[in-house]
Every structure is written in C-alpha cells, then in structure tokens.
C-alpha cells in the first residue's frame, strides 16, 4: 500500500485491527439473566458491546476480555470464562 | 506603475505578508524580528488587514498555533529570530513531517551565550535539517518579493512544506531602502486562496500525526527529501513567474555574479553579498578573475546550479556566517560533500565570515580572495577553516589557546 | 427493554484501538465524543491516548483528529480555533484530550496562554496521575506518596513527597468560565459535564480521573471500582466551577477511609508493607478530609445544616 501525504489517514480505520486476539478471558452474557440495563455497553473501553435486535451482545472481534462488563453488571449476567485457544 | 516607497525592511516584509492574505498570524516578540510583527498588528488594529492574530506566550506556541491553523486549512504566518527560532525547532520538524505549508520569516541573529543581538546565520542554519525550505535574501526588495513567492512555493501541491525567508537582522530589517510594491490584484492573481486537499474537516474526518514504525518511517522522510528535490525546478518556475510580474529578476536558486570565467569564486548568502559584489567589481577592474555565487535557496541545496557555474574555477571560497562547533561551517560542508570525488573539482576554502556580527567589509573580502589565491598556488586545502577577522590576541591563555592562536 | 438500537458503525470513537485491557482513558473518550457530537476537531498531545489511537493506518477517530507534539496541545488547538473563526466555520468546535503530563507539566505554559487569551477550546485532561506512555514516571498530577518509576518508594523514600497540583483552581483563577472534575466511575456525570461545557464559549476545562490498571497495579475489571473508591474517600473531589465559583459537587454516598483506596493499588503498596508508614497514610487521610470540608462533599454535613 502507498504511504499517504504527511501520514494523514482516514478516520475509523482501526476497525481493521481486531483486538479480539488479545483476549484470554471471554465474557459470556446470559440473556436469561440480563435486565437490558446497558451498563455493559457503557463501561466497555473497547466498544465491544452492542444492542442488536433488542438484546445486548458482546462482539468478540474487538473484546479484549478485561472483565469490566462482568464486574459491573448489576444482574451478574456476564461470566468470564477462560478462552480456548 | 508599481508603487515605490522608502521604508524599513521590516515594514516591506509586513506589506508583503499583508498582500498574501494570511488568515492566521501568530508571533512572539524578539529583536530584530519585532518590527515585522508589530507592523502586522498595527495593520490589523487599523482594520487594514483581515487576519486572526494570536498573541501567544512563546515562540513554541507561535509555531504551534500556525501549525494548527495550517492543518485546519488556513494560510498562516509567523516570524522569529535567534532564541525564538531555536525554541520553534521541535515544532518545525513536526510540521514539515505533516507537510504544512506555512511561511516564517527567519530574521537572522546570533545565538546565546553570550547573548547578543548581532547578526549571524547560526539560528536558521540550526534548522536546516528540519524539512523547512530556506531562502536567504540580500535586500529589502528581495525580501518583499521572496515572501510573496514563498507562500506559493509552500502551497504547491508537489511541495507542501513550510518555507522560511531568512533575512539579516538590523542590516535589512531596520534600514531604510526604496522598495516597489505589487498591486493587490496582481498578488491575488499570482497567489490564489489556499485550498488544501487535506484539512481538519468534520465532513471527512482524517487523523494527523500517526505513530509509524520502521516499515514506513524511512519512506516518510524520503518523501520530504523528494518534495524538496522536485521543488528545485518548481521554485525556479515560480520565481520567474513572479519576475515577469514585478520586472525584477533576483535569480533562481542562486544568483551567479561574474562567474563565467572566474578562477576564484566566493559563495555567500544574506546581506553580506552586497559588499562582496562591490569588492568583486573592484578586483575585476584590476584584472582579477573573481566571481560570486549568492545562495538564494539553501534548502533544497542548489548543487546542480552551483556546479554549472564553477566549472572553470580553481578555488571556491565559502563564507559561512555559521559554524558547527568542532567541525566547520554548513555551506562549506554541503558544497564539499557534493564536490568530493568529482573530476576537476575546484579546491574549497572554508571561511568563517560574519559570525557573531563580525563585520564583513571590503578588506575582509580581499583577504579571503588572497587566501584563496594561496590555496590555488599550493594546490592543497587548509586543514582548518579560515576565521576571517578573528582576533587571536584577545583569546585567553590556556592549553587550547596555543593552537587557536595559529589559525587566525 | 431499551428500544434504541445502535451499531458500532455510527460511533465517533470506534473499536480496534490498542489501549491496555480495562483502560479508563479509552473508556472516557467514547463518552466524551458521545456528548460533543460529530462537529468537533480533537487535538491530542503525545501520551497513551495518542499512542494507542494512532498506529499508522489504524485510527479509531471518526472526528478530525490531530496529534502534533507533547507540549503544544493547547496552542495547536488555539491555531485550529483561529482558523475556524477566520473561515467562518462557527459550528465546529475544538477539543483537546490530553494526559496529565501534557497538561500539568510540559504543556502548562501553553495551556496558561490559551486560557489567558480566552480561546474557544474545551480542554479535557485525562488524568492517570503519571507519565504512563513512557512507563509510569512522576508527574505534577501524581498523588502524594504514590510510587512512580522516577520517584519510587524505597528504603528511605515513601515515594512522591509533594501534593498533586491543584490545576482546576489554577485554571479557574485564569477566569475560565467552566471548570469541572469528573471520573470514569461516574459516566453520566461525565457526559453531562462535557455537554454543559459545550454550551459555553471561551476556554473550558474538565479533568477526568481515569484509572490505569497497568501502571496503578490493579485488575483490569476494577477500573470503575477504583475510580469510585477514589471519589468516595474524598481524595478525588468531583466538582464544578462556573464563573470561578464552586457551583456543584458530587456528594459522597458513604465516606470510606483512604486505606481502602490505597490498598487497592500497587502504586501505594509500600505504605502497607512494613507498618512503618502510618504517618504517610494519616497525611493522605488529612488531604481527603480537607477536600471533604473544602468542597462540602459529605451528604450528611449538608443535611445537618
Ligand atoms: C518533548 C518531549 N519530551 C518527552 C517525551 C516523551 N514522552 C512521551 S509521552 C510522555 C508522557 C505522557 O504522560 P501523560 O501526558 O500523563 O500521558 P499518559 O501517557 O499518562 O496518558 C513522555 C514523557 C516526548 N514525546 N516529547
Ligand atoms: S450489564 Fe448485565 S444486565 Fe445490564 S445489559 Fe449488560 S448483561 Fe444485561
Ligand atoms: S470483557 Fe472488557 S472488552 Fe470485553 S466486552 Fe467486556 S468490557 Fe468489553
Ligand atoms: S498504560 Fe494505563 S492509561 Fe496507558 S493505555 Fe494502558 S491502561 Fe491505559
Ligand atoms: Mg498520565
């Protein structure tokens, strides 16, 4: 790929870098327990949690497995499990 | 008919800048640059000029403000001298890397310590590796004309680099000279509004100032060099385009003065050039074949044009108003690096001339030519640069003094 | 069930950045931009935020963003603001998001200049109390008795022996119309403050406590918990100053002793290692108590009045 003038790059291109590979703990969301409060989405530093079809889902492409969502979930609906590699 | 006025060099520069319609100006005072930025402030205060003027707390911020403004898509300008230019150094490297095309007047003045307001070129020469294009001028008229060309050169899509117009403090900034001005419409036609392809735009968000690794970093550096190399031809074109409008031709990257058959050629830049030309005329009238190359564009270094004009010369005497401590002057190093290994290359005599404001008068020029003749005769370069006008007798006694005493 | 659907595509700060696991700073940025909306230009001085968002070719910024140097965030922002004014792009606003080292230390002169000139810039300091990008060296924002790599706790030193610079007060003294502190532990409050700051013109300042799991030394799932402990102990007062007057504080729900906060992080662990540092802990407790008094942070104190 050709380099750009002054190293100026298009915004939003980090989506091409999947940080999910950094994960060794995987958050697993139990939809049965979820109260749809949105806390997990709000506290994720990696923008990995989204409301999809009216349910909160964790996107494993970018989730680094920090565990913040699990710790903050008021319903204990997210469990951290060891990632199988 | 161009309007003509006798005025201070600083004011001439301020008029040139005004005519170029920068949208953002930012500056911090330091002698001998001050009159330029004061004149601009007055024009804005009187409503004669429509620019945002950001009155910063340091030169570091002045350079930063115009960098930010330039990235946001505005034509921008600053001026500084000496310590102020050194304080800008880190900013200028970064902005050249970002390819921001602002213009900066580098009013030449010596560097501390001892602190002094005397003229030399140490300040701007210290910025020579930054990626900023550098012009040096001989007169207020040339300063006026070069500033107008500078914006167009900086903003050329194939160049896109900061441009610095360097002019000797006091000698040019504070003396009165007759200067001719262009009509505003002429300048507007020559220099259309700044419309960069990249700018900080909320409708097309881009990121500036990335972190790069060794897989691409060298190519980014090389791109700056390539823009400078391309710039050599483009600068000449822009200069001659301007010359057809002004009717004044100051030359291209260099001005060759009576060099065609010259055996000894002096190389210099800045205001000392006037004195050198007079000395050359005198020597010529005595039958000596002596000439001068005035460097107008120092970065990119106009080696090809120099080479074209020193073909028959036996000795080239470079007059550096700067010095790299522990080595030699910058111009001398540049020239020798390019000449080295070339068949029939002339010998180079490095001279330190005008450092710390030490006067370069006719007598000193004649001494340099005399040294050049000695070098020509011996066929060998000197081991150490020739410090023109050094006063070895006032150096303190000391171990290091023994040797220095001999050099003078 | 919340009806509003959202996919990551519309966000202004997207995934794929390279912050450490559980980084408080990375968390804060998405919320800041949610509050400002898309019509902002962001300036970021050198530091963690710059590094983890700028590997060449991979930018998470969906707003125009510029990193220039470490010490000139405020003056780059002033230049951008001047250009916007000159061009008549008045609906676009300028934001700096920079670290505490850039803000409290090396860029302080430039910041003071920007404030004094009254430039239209919202300056947000994402404060992690040290120079994290370079491995956790001491800054003017490092808390007292924290151990940093350039002022480490050792056999005869309890770590940094000076107080954290009171930057919000210094900035308010410049006449900034809006000055506030916030914490990633209180994200709604943070967003509200950014929104409010955007309603003002001139120089505004928000300092956000952004816990850093990697260098403070705590588990990355506790970023908000650590933030809460800081606030609830009184060590990190969450305040708002408008026109130089204290106008609002986030009340402490239940005051906790500073030990609880200090014990939760490695950077203070030396204070508990040998039982020799009671004096230092008391001093830190005194700092918290002063904050509580000075800003009226306790609910019941207010209630009793
Ligand atoms: C002039 C200069 N000095 C030093 C550095 C090295 N440096 C880069 S980032 C940094 C520390 C940043 O600290 P802070 O502003 O607190 O941001 P953080 O990384 O903690 O988020 C330092 C010392 C530099 N880049 N430029
Ligand atoms: S935080 Fe827990 S309860 Fe709330 S939306 Fe997420 S998973 Fe559901
Ligand atoms: S584990 Fe961390 S990165 Fe993954 S979804 Fe939860 S908060 Fe986000
Ligand atoms: S070192 Fe700290 S502040 Fe920096 S990216 Fe990692 S967690 Fe965030
Ligand atoms: Mg920091």
């Amino acid at each position: 790929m050709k380099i750009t003038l002054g190293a100026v790059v298009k915004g939003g291109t980090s989506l091409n870098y999947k940080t999910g590979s950094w994960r060794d703990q995987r958050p697993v969301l139990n939809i049965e327990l979820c109260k749809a409060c949105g806390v997990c989405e709000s506290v994720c530093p990696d923008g990995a949690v989204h409301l999809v079809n009216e349910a909160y889902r964790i996107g494993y492409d970018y989730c680094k497995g920090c565990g913040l969502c699990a710790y903050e979930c008021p319903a204990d609906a997210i469990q951290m499990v060891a990632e199988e590699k | 008919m161009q309007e003509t006025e006798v005025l201070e060099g600083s004011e001439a520069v301020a008029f040139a800048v005004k005519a170029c319609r920068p949208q953002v100006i930012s500056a911090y005072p330091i002698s001998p640059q001050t009159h330029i930025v004061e004149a601009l402030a007055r024009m804005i205060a009187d409503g004669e000029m429509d620019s945002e003027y950001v009155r910063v707390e340091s030169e570091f911020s002045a350079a930063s403000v115009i960098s930010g403004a330039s990235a946001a898509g505005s034509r921008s300008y600053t001026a500084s001298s000496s310590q102020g230019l050194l304080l800008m150094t880190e900013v200028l490297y970064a902005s050249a890397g970002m390819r921001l095309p602002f213009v900066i007047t580098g009013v030449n003045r010596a560097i501390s310590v001892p602190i002094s307001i005397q003229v030399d070129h140490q300040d701007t020469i210290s910025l020579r590796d930054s990626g900023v294009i550098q012009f040096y001028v001989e007169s207020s008229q040339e300063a006026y004309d070069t500033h107008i060309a500078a914006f167009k050169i900086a903003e050329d899509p194939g160049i896109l680099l900061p441009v610095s117009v360097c002019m000797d403090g006091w000698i040019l900034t504070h003396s009165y000279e007759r200067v001719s001005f262009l009509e505003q419409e002429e300048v507007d036609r020559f220099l259309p509004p700044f419309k960069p392809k990249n700018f900080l735009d909320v409708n097309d968000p881009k990121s500036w100032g990335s972190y790069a690794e060794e897989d691409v970093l060298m190519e980014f550096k090389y791109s700056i060099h390539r823009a400078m190399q391309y710039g050599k031809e483009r600068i000449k074109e822009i200069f001659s385009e301007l010359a057809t409008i002004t009717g004044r031709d100051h030359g291209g990257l260099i001005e060759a003065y009576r060099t065609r058959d010259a055996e000894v050629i002096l190389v210099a830049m800045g205001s000392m050039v006037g004195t050198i030309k007079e000395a050359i005329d005198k020597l010529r009238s005595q039958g000596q074949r002596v000439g001068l190359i005035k460097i107008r564009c120092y970065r990119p270094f106009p080696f090809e044009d120099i080479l074209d004009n020193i073909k028959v010369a036996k000795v080239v005497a470079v007059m550096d108003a700067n010095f790299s401590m522990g080595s030699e002057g910058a111009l001398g190093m540049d020239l020798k690096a390019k000449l080295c290994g070339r068949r029939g290359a002339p010998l180079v005599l490095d001279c330190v001339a005008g450092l710390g404001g030490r006067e370069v008068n006719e007598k000193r020029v004649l001494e340099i030519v005399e040294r050049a003749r000695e070098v020509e005769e011996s066929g060998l370069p000197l081991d150490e640069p020739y410090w023109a006008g050094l006063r070895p007798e006032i150096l303190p006694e000391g171990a290091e003094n023994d040797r220095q005493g001999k050099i003078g | 069930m919340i009806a509003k659907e959202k996919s990551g595509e519309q966000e202004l700060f997207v995934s794929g950045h390279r912050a450490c696991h559980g980084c408080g700073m990375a968390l804060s940025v998405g919320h800041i931009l949610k509050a400002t909306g898309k019509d902002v230009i962001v300036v970021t001085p050198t530091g963690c935020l710059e590094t983890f968002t700028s590997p060449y070719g991979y930018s998470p910024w969906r707003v125009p963003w510029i990193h220039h140097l470490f010490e000139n965030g405020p003056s780059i922002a002033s230049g951008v603001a001047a250009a916007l004014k000159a061009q008549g792009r008045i609906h676009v606003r300028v934001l700096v998001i920079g670290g505490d080292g850039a803000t409290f230390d090396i860029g302080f002169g430039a910041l003071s200049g920007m404030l004094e000139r009254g430039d239209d810039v919202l300056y947000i300091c994402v404060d992690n109390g040290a120079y994290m990008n370079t491995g956790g060296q001491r800054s003017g924002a490092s808390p007292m008795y924290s151990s940093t790599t350039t002022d480490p706790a050792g056999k005869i030193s309890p770590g940094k022996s000076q107080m954290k610079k009171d930057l919000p007060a210094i900035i308010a003294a410049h006449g900034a119309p809006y000055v506030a502190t916030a914490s990633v532990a209180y994200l709604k409050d943070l967003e509200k403050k950014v929104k409010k700051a955007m309603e003002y013109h001139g120089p505004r300042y928000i300092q956000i406590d952004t816990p850093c799991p990697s260098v403070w030394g705590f588990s990355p799932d506790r970023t908000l918990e650590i933030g809460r402990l800081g606030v609830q102990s009184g060590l990190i007062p969450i305040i708002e100053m408008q026109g130089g007057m204290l106008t609002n504080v986030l009340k402490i729900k239940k005051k906790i002793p500073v030990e609880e906060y200090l014990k939760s992080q490695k950077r203070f662990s030396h204070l508990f290692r040998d039982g020799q540092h009671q004096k230092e802990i008391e001093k830190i407790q005194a700092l918290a108590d002063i904050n509580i008094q000075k800003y009226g942070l306790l609910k019941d104190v207010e209630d009793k009045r």
Side-chain angles (χ1 to χ4, degrees):
Chain A
M1 214 176 30
K2 302 277 190 196
I3 59 166
T4 50
L5 186 80
V8 177
V9 301
K10 214 170 127 54
T13 38
S14 65
L15 288 172
N16 296 325
Y17 185 79
K18 304 277 163 76
T19 49
S21 62
W22 295 18
R23 189 176 56 242
D24 51 22
Q25 294 282 310
R26 166 184 286 253
V28 179
L29 194 156
N30 183 343
I31 205 81
E32 303 295 314
L33 297 175
C34 175
K35 295 195 195 117
C37 66
V39 163
C40 49
E41 183 199 27
S42 170
V43 302
C44 176
D46 289 282
V49 188
H50 292 291
L51 193 59
V52 184
N53 299 330
E54 307 209 330
Y56 283 96
R57 298 252 176 90
I58 293 165
Y60 295 107
D61 276 355
Y62 301 105
C63 165
K64 291 174 187 159
C66 68
L68 251 178
C69 54
Y71 187 80
E72 297 294 330
C73 170
D76 265 339
I78 302 176
Q79 295 303 311
M80 298 304 289
V81 301
E83 186 70 51
E84 299 144 31
K85 293 231 173 176
Chain B
M1 239 326 257
Q2 281 176 34
E3 216 180 301
T4 298
E5 210 182 307
V6 175
L7 79 179
E8 219 191 41
S10 298
E11 231 175 319
V13 170
F15 277 123
V17 171
K18 174 178 178 247
C20 293
R21 303 184 187 275
Q23 287 179 297
V24 177
I25 294 172
S26 182
Y28 191 81
I30 181 169
S31 294
Q33 151 265 32
T34 322
H35 283 188
I36 298 172
V37 298
E38 285 173 344
L40 289 166
R42 260 197 319 274
M43 292 172 184
I44 291 168
D46 287 337
E48 295 162 11
M49 188 178 174
D50 186 20
S51 299
E52 290 298 316
Y53 191 115
V54 186
R55 294 155 188 91
V56 281
E57 75 301 330
S58 75
E59 289 87 352
F60 194 90
S61 281
S64 302
V65 163
I66 63 161
S67 298
S70 184
S74 281
R75 182 173 293 157
S76 327
Y77 170 81
T78 191
S80 193
S81 284
S82 182
Q83 313 303 126
L85 287 167
L86 292 202
L87 193 52
M88 289 180 177
T89 306
E90 192 194 8
V91 180
L92 296 179
Y93 271 85
S95 295
M98 274 187 189
R99 312 298 296 273
L100 299 176
F102 50 76
V103 170
I104 159 173
T105 307
V107 175
N108 289 105
R109 170 184 150 183
I111 296 293
S112 232
V113 150
I115 192 162
S116 171
I117 54 168
Q118 291 295 328
V119 184
D120 68 28
H121 294 166
Q122 195 72 50
D123 49 2
T124 51
I125 289 293
S126 300
L127 294 169
R128 66 163 187 200
D129 303 334
S130 61
V132 176
I133 288 176
Q134 285 195 351
F135 299 126
Y136 288 77
V137 299
E138 178 187 348
S139 64
S140 295
Q141 182 69 67
E142 192 182 3
Y144 176 88
D145 294 340
T146 307
H147 275 86
I148 289 171
F151 283 99
K152 190 168 174 117
I153 291 163
E155 293 167 12
D156 185 277
I159 298 177
L160 283 174
L161 286 171
V163 172
S164 175
V165 182
C166 309
M167 63 192 291
D168 289 342
W170 311 114
I171 301 168
L172 295 181
T173 51
H174 286 61
S175 63
Y176 282 70
E177 238 186 78
R178 182 168 294 283
V179 176
S180 300
F181 304 102
L182 291 172
E183 298 287 335
Q184 184 63 53
E185 303 84 74
E186 290 176 307
V187 178
D188 289 343
R189 232 174 297 129
F190 173 75
L191 181 69
F194 178 43
K195 289 249 164 10
K197 206 170 119 243
N198 276 341
F199 67 100
L200 294 163
D201 178 7
V202 293
N203 299 317
D204 182 14
K206 291 187 183 132
S207 298
W208 299 55
S210 298
Y211 176 88
E213 295 280 15
E214 91 296 342
D215 57 337
V216 289
L217 192 52
M218 193 172 180
E219 284 71 20
F220 281 117
K221 305 289 175 193
Y222 182 75
S223 307
I224 299 176
H225 175 63
R226 196 169 70 166
M228 285 230 179
Q229 294 300 88
Y230 158 82
K232 285 183 184 176
E233 283 313 307
R234 192 65 192 114
I235 290 166
K236 281 194 257 190
E237 283 168 22
I238 291 172
F239 277 161
S240 57
E241 185 189 337
L242 183 64
T244 58
I245 301 167
T246 61
R248 291 180 292 273
D249 189 356
H250 303 284
L253 305 176
I254 64 166
E255 180 202 341
Y257 186 76
R258 308 189 78 165
T259 51
R260 196 148 37 83
D261 61 345
E263 295 156 352
V264 171
I265 293 182
L266 304 181
V267 180
M269 49 195 197
S271 64
M272 69 167 91
V273 159
T275 310
I276 300 170
K277 283 177 180 168
E278 282 167 26
I280 284 174
D281 290 347
K282 192 163 178 184
L283 289 166
R284 282 272 176 186
S285 71
Q286 295 163 3
Q288 287 220 47
R289 289 199 285 178
V290 182
L292 163 77
I293 289 173
K294 162 179 149 186
I295 306 286
R296 300 190 67 217
C297 174
Y298 175 60
R299 283 290 180 274
F301 188 65
F303 175 66
E304 298 83 354
D305 298 25
I306 296 173
L307 196 64
D308 278 347
N309 286 282
I310 59 173
K311 290 216 170 94
V312 299
K314 305 233 165 54
V315 178
V316 174
V318 181
M319 296 166 69
D320 265 306
N322 70 84
F323 198 72
S324 172
M325 298 302 163
S327 184
E328 350 186 295
L331 255 178
M333 285 196 260
D334 278 320
L335 189 61
K336 283 190 291 186
K338 289 290 193 183
L339 285 179
C340 183
R342 270 174 210 265
R343 200 187 298 266
L347 289 165
V348 175
L349 168 66
D350 298 290
C351 305
V352 182
L355 192 67
R358 185 58 48 89
E359 198 191 352
V360 179
N361 50 25
E362 188 188 286
K363 179 168 161 268
R364 220 136 266 160
V365 178
L366 298 184
E367 279 166 12
I368 287 170
V369 173
E370 224 169 280
R371 283 284 170 290
R373 290 295 188 192
E374 286 166 22
V375 167
E376 183 187 347
E377 217 148 284
S378 70
L380 289 170
L382 299 186
D383 290 342
E384 281 280 340
Y386 171 62
W387 289 67
L390 185 78
R391 300 167 60 201
E393 70 279 8
I394 65 166
L395 291 169
E397 300 302 327
E400 84 286 359
N401 186 35
D402 297 345
R403 181 148 174 74
Q404 280 182 358
K406 283 181 207 144
I407 299 164
Chain C
M1 173 92 14
I2 299 161
K4 221 172 73 205
E5 298 264 336
K6 200 179 67 187
S7 87
E9 299 299 299
Q10 273 91 57
E11 276 157 28
L12 297 173
F13 187 71
V14 302
S15 307
H17 63 72
R18 305 188 195 190
C20 311
H21 294 71
C23 173
M25 188 180 292
L27 172 56
S28 73
V29 176
H31 291 271
I32 292 168
L33 293 185
K34 211 166 115 194
T36 60
K38 71 174 227 338
D39 289 335
V40 289
I41 293 171
V42 177
V43 181
T44 295
T46 315
C48 271
L49 178 60
E50 164 268 319
T51 305
F52 72 67
T53 64
S54 79
Y56 178 65
Y58 298 93
S59 166
W61 300 93
R62 281 248 180 87
V63 291
W65 178 82
I66 180 167
H67 156 247
H68 196 273
L69 293 170
F70 186 20
E71 62 274 44
N72 66 359
S75 22
I76 291 288
S78 291
V80 174
L84 292 175
K85 195 168 163 209
Q87 296 164 10
R89 282 200 276 161
I90 44 168
H91 67 290
V92 181
R93 308 292 298 277
V94 188
L95 210 64
V96 179
I97 311 179
D100 51 289
T103 309
F104 284 60
D105 298 344
I106 201 165
F108 182 66
L111 176 59
S112 177
M114 182 200 96
L115 296 165
E116 183 271 333
R117 288 189 300 272
D119 295 338
D120 189 29
V121 176
L122 168 55
Y123 193 108
I124 297 178
C125 174
V126 276
D127 176 11
N128 53 21
Y131 300 162
M132 295 330 183
N133 192 42
T134 41
Q137 296 83 18
R138 175 198 190 278
S139 87
S142 300
M144 200 170 208
Y145 303 129
S146 61
S147 183
T148 57
T149 59
T150 48
D151 198 356
K155 287 192 186 115
I156 59 162
S157 169
K160 182 181 175 183
S161 54
Q162 297 82 10
M163 288 186 0
K164 183 186 185 98
K165 196 191 275 190
D166 188 359
L167 198 57
I170 295 169
I171 289 175
H174 279 78
Y178 185 83
V179 176
T181 57
S183 163
V184 285
Y186 301 89
L187 290 165
K188 289 241 163 65
D189 175 72
L190 187 160
E191 284 182 27
K192 214 171 74 198
K193 282 171 174 163
V194 174
K195 275 213 174 86
K196 199 184 241 177
M198 293 294 285
E199 289 166 10
Y200 286 79
H201 282 265
R204 294 138 289 149
Y205 180 72
I206 301 176
Q207 182 172 304
I208 307 176
D209 186 54
T210 55
C212 160
S214 303
V215 185
W216 291 12
F218 62 83
S219 166
D221 60 349
R222 302 299 154 94
T223 301
L224 271 69
E225 179 64 19
I226 301 291
R228 281 190 288 269
L229 291 177
V231 171
Q232 297 302 318
S233 68
L235 277 174
I236 316 247
I238 303 299
I239 62 165
E240 229 175 351
M241 287 186 269
Q242 279 149 290
M245 306 291 283
L246 185 71
T247 50
N248 195 20
V249 302
L250 186 79
K251 296 281 182 186
I252 292 174
K253 285 207 186 86
K254 185 174 154 281
K255 183 186 167 188
I256 58 150
V258 293
E259 268 113 316
E260 226 178 290
Y261 177 67
L262 302 175
K263 276 184 176 155
S264 67
Q265 303 156 53
K266 259 209 199 88
R267 62 177 174 159
F268 296 112
S269 60
H270 58 284
L271 297 176
F272 302 97
R273 205 162 290 144
D274 49 12
Q276 300 284 297
H277 289 295
Q278 204 44 46
K279 229 177 64 222
E280 281 80 10
I281 296 168
E282 278 165 20
K283 172 82 194 174
I284 297 171
Q285 185 61 60
L287 291 178
D289 292 342
I290 289 169
N291 281 341
I292 289 169
Q293 234 192 342
K294 185 164 145 195
Y295 300 115
L297 297 178
L298 275 190
K299 247 203 167 91
D300 41 352
V301 172
E302 178 108 330
D303 292 344
K304 271 182 211 151
R305 253 195 250 151

